[in-house]
Amino acid sequence: MNNRENYEARDIAGDLERLGEEIATDTEATLTETRPQDFDHDDWKALREAIKAMRARLDEMEEMIDRAETEADEYDEETAEDRYETYWA
């Protein structure tokens, strides 16, 4: 991730896609190289739990976007009463 001031939605999306692809590729490679007799159920249980947690976090992120989208759709500059002036100035 970048530490720059203007971190845009496309940048975040790109990071998410690259990270997801890297994790999926690593997981597939590891599973392919793991012999059945060496498969550790506990290790993979931890990954399953991490996947569940990330799914929940991704749902939260989508809800954040939905809220921002709704607020943008409902935004009326005439009635905003300087609500955003101090934050975005």
Side-chain angles (χ1 to χ4, degrees):
M1 300 231 185
N2 297 322
N3 288 330
R4 59 187 177 155
E5 204 168 302
N6 294 327
Y7 196 59
E8 310 232 352
R10 289 178 194 213
D11 298 325
I12 298 168
D15 284 349
L16 184 60
E17 289 173 4
R18 282 186 294 280
L19 184 57
E21 186 59 37
E22 180 181 340
I23 291 169
T25 300
D26 290 349
T27 301
E28 183 178 24
T30 301
L31 285 169
T32 299
E33 295 170 3
T34 301
R35 297 181 306 173
Q37 64 269 30
D38 296 332
F39 186 86
D40 186 335
H41 293 277
D42 289 335
D43 281 350
W44 293 101
K45 181 179 178 185
L47 181 57
R48 287 180 187 273
E49 292 301 317
I51 291 168
K52 287 178 190 175
M54 183 51 69
R55 271 194 194 111
R57 189 65 177 138
L58 290 169
D59 288 344
E60 290 171 10
M61 291 166 57
E62 196 163 19
E63 289 171 9
M64 287 181 227
I65 295 167
D66 289 344
R67 285 191 301 272
E69 185 176 42
T70 298
E71 189 171 353
D73 289 344
E74 295 172 355
Y75 177 74
D76 178 7
E77 192 170 340
E78 303 267 333
T79 61
E81 299 177 11
D82 299 328
R83 177 176 173 202
Y84 299 95
E85 292 302 317
T86 57
Y87 184 79
W88 297 109

